[in-house]
Amino acid sequence: MSVRILGIESSCDETAAAVVVDGREILSSVVSSQTDIHRKYGGVVPELASREHLRQIVPVVREALEKAGLVFGDLDAIGVTQGPGLVGALLVGVTYAKALAIELGKPLVGVNHLEGHVHAVLLEAHRAGLKPELPAVCLIVSGGHTLLYEVTGKSNGADSDATLLYKRLGGTRDDAAGEAYDKVARLLGLGYPGGPIIDQLAEQGSEAGVGAKSPVDAENNLRFGPTKMSGNALDFSFSGVKTAVLYHLREHPDLNAEIEARREALAAGRRSAAQLRPLCSQHTLNLISSFQRKVVHELVSRSLAAASQCGVKTILVSGGVAANRELRTTFEAEARQGISVFFPSRELSTDNAAMIAAAAFARFSNGERAGSDLDATPSLPLGGAS
Ligand code: KG4
Ligand code: ZN
């Protein structure tokens, strides 16, 4: 008999609900994004996020059920993000899910948001009839996280009902990669969120850094040297990359006028790559391209080092930054060297509730049930420490 799970996600700035059957068939996936609300602050404002989740949670869940063609009574269980995330935001989803579970007399499963991101990749693979080999290395890369895990299962293929085990291999010591995208976009007058716009504009920058050890554009003297860190070689650091852009802009005041022009365009609602591209000099495009190449290089090289350290042949990549085209093509080039790399679709890369329902299915199948003491846990870890 198939299991229909309603997933609920509210850990950051997306209120989302989805209905997924057996952890692999998406009947509906509704995401209400708060980007327009947080845009003018250049990042997520926790109080505003909680308030908006409160407004959206009921209509979003209702829409997910309607799109799935179901009523509440048809559900077999409810899965909800328990953490990590913003406490006020998490509380909205957790409180609502608990109330719904009690009212309907349905089982409730608490889900780790990071495990949701792992299941986003598996969900996509299962939909395509693929079964990624385990153990694998998973890179979770978003606005809030940049983490590497080793993922193992009881069998060597990732089934949708498999209990997975996680070992943390490394993580960022300062900014998350998506945060670096957002901060650099803010410095350059490219709006919020920064990832999608930088992704599109980077293609038009200099190719000078391709294949080089550290991306360098000699013409504009843009240098992102190697990131030097002692300790765990699988840790990341992105604050230096952001600071390098800041210093470069200070050394080139001639770029101020175009930054100002772009800020004016943004204020007038002209935010697309097509609208901002004519306001970018080649110098700026090269800077964007070098920045992206450096971030991609950091992410790919450490993921490959992790795979080699663990002796695994599979890499799973998930989170908002996994939508990045250069990241995908760079990983895909590696795939030709004997590593299998799996990504979610763009919709499943960024925060959504289908991945929460899929993660809940695996735990539900293994008998896990949350009690009425389920609580929002802002720093919920995934697996053991490294
Ligand atoms: O997973 P997500 O939706 O939310 C968090 O949990 O953070 O990720 C959002 C982040 C933002 O920082 C955004 O700039 C980044 O993902 N992002 C991208 C791309 N699309 C979104 N970064 C690089 N390239 C993209 N195409
Ligand atoms: Zn996320």
Side-chain angles (χ1 to χ4, degrees), residues 14 113 117 142-144 178-179 181-182 193-196 199 319-321 323-324 346 349-351:
E14 262 97 25
H113 179 82
H117 277 301
S142 69
E179 199 178 346
Y181 268 95
D182 295 338
D199 187 358
V321 182
N324 188 270
R346 273 166 183 273
S349 293
T350 49
D351 288 350

Side-chain angles (χ1 to χ4, degrees), residues 9 11-12 14 84 113-114 116-117 140-145 318-320 349-352 355:
E9 154 66 32
S11 66
C12 190
E14 262 97 25
H113 179 82
L114 301 171
H117 277 301
I140 301 175
V141 60
S142 69
H145 307 281
S318 193
S349 293
T350 49
D351 288 350
N352 65 86
M355 69 185 195

Side-chain angles (χ1 to χ4, degrees), residues 1-20:
M1 232 215 33
S2 54
V3 175
R4 291 180 277 211
I5 295 188
L6 169 69
I8 296 176
E9 154 66 32
S10 70
S11 66
C12 190
D13 62 338
E14 262 97 25
T15 320
V19 181
V20 177

Side-chain angles (χ1 to χ4, degrees), residues 93-245:
V94 169
T95 311
Y96 177 81
K98 278 196 326 197
L100 197 60
I102 291 168
E103 159 94 15
L104 300 172
K106 304 278 180 190
L108 178 66
V109 181
V111 174
N112 185 305
H113 179 82
L114 301 171
E115 184 169 44
H117 277 301
V118 176
H119 276 272
V121 196
L122 302 179
L123 181 54
E124 189 77 36
H126 292 145
R127 287 166 82 197
L130 303 169
K131 200 166 148 179
E133 194 180 307
L134 295 179
V137 157
C138 184
L139 170 70
I140 301 175
V141 60
S142 69
H145 307 281
T146 305
L147 289 159
L148 276 169
Y149 286 95
E150 184 181 20
V151 184
T152 47
K154 284 192 188 130
S155 63
N156 62 358
D159 292 307
S160 58
D161 61 355
T163 306
L164 302 176
L165 298 170
Y166 304 91
K167 181 178 173 221
R168 189 182 186 278
L169 301 170
T172 185
R173 296 192 187 171
D174 39 58
D175 292 350
E179 199 178 346
Y181 268 95
D182 295 338
K183 287 178 175 171
V184 165
R186 191 180 164 99
L187 288 172
L188 292 173
L190 292 171
Y192 173 84
I197 186 95
I198 288 182
D199 187 358
Q200 291 172 70
L201 294 176
E203 283 182 347
Q204 311 194 21
S206 162
E207 295 292 313
V210 177
K213 277 203 181 119
S214 67
V216 170
D217 179 335
E219 190 190 338
N220 291 312
N221 195 25
L222 312 177
R223 276 176 195 279
F224 294 105
T227 303
K228 293 198 191 87
M229 284 190 300
S230 56
N232 184 2
L234 299 180
D235 276 349
F236 298 89
S237 169
F238 292 104
S239 69
V241 187
K242 169 201 67 193
T243 310
V245 173

